[in-house]
Amino acid sequence: PNSWTVYYQTFRIIVELLLLYTFYKGIIPEQATFEGLNFDIVMGIAAPFMAYFVFGDNVKNLALAKAWNILGILMVLFVAVIIGTTYYLPHLWGSETALTQPEFLTMPYLLIAGFLAPSAIFMHVVSLIQLRK
């Protein structure tokens, strides 16, 4: 069903809490969390409502469904840009040194960027493909 790919996005709440924990450990900067510039948690909170009210048995609003999926992809990419620039281009954030610690590129933190973020994008793409049918 169309709604399953959207219900899946609720895992983003847990990912955002993991990012917050990672910030509290001093590994990533505040900008990468929902206390900073990362509002991806909204996608996770909105997912069950979108799945129920928009995707349900029949897609009730095709334009809204497509827009939600595209916005979800953009949100993940925005967070990736934040984390990437705080590591590789810290001068964009007014710092001389990297704001993201090299520890973020090791396990288990690597799962966030290496598995969880791509899986969110993948499920949005699957949802967009389903909407084309």
Side-chain angles (χ1 to χ4, degrees), residues 21-44:
Y21 171 74
T22 306
F23 161 64
Y24 288 149
K25 283 190 70 177
I27 297 171
I28 62 171
E30 184 178 24
Q31 295 93 329
T33 70
F34 58 84
E35 289 184 351
L37 300 172
N38 179 353
F39 300 106
D40 195 40
I41 195 166
V42 173
M43 295 303 291

Side-chain angles (χ1 to χ4, degrees), residues 3 14 30 41 47 56 76 78 81 113:
S3 61
I14 296 167
E30 184 178 24
I41 195 166
V76 172
F78 181 67
V81 166

Side-chain angles (χ1 to χ4, degrees), residues 55-129:
F55 288 84
D57 294 329
N58 296 325
V59 177
K60 295 165 182 69
N61 187 335
L62 188 61
L64 179 62
K66 287 181 180 179
W68 189 81
N69 278 300
I70 292 169
L71 180 64
I73 292 169
L74 293 175
M75 296 281 276
V76 172
L77 294 176
F78 181 67
V79 174
V81 166
I82 290 172
I83 291 175
T85 57
T86 59
Y87 186 76
Y88 293 107
L89 302 168
H91 64 276
L92 295 176
W93 299 94
S95 177
E96 302 257 337
T97 60
L99 299 172
T100 298
Q101 302 304 312
E103 187 178 355
F104 187 71
L105 302 175
T106 64
M107 295 299 278
Y109 308 107
L110 189 58
L111 289 174
I112 295 171
F115 177 74
L116 297 173
S119 80
I121 291 174
F122 176 76
M123 293 307 274
H124 279 299
V125 170
V126 168
S127 182
L128 286 168
I129 291 169

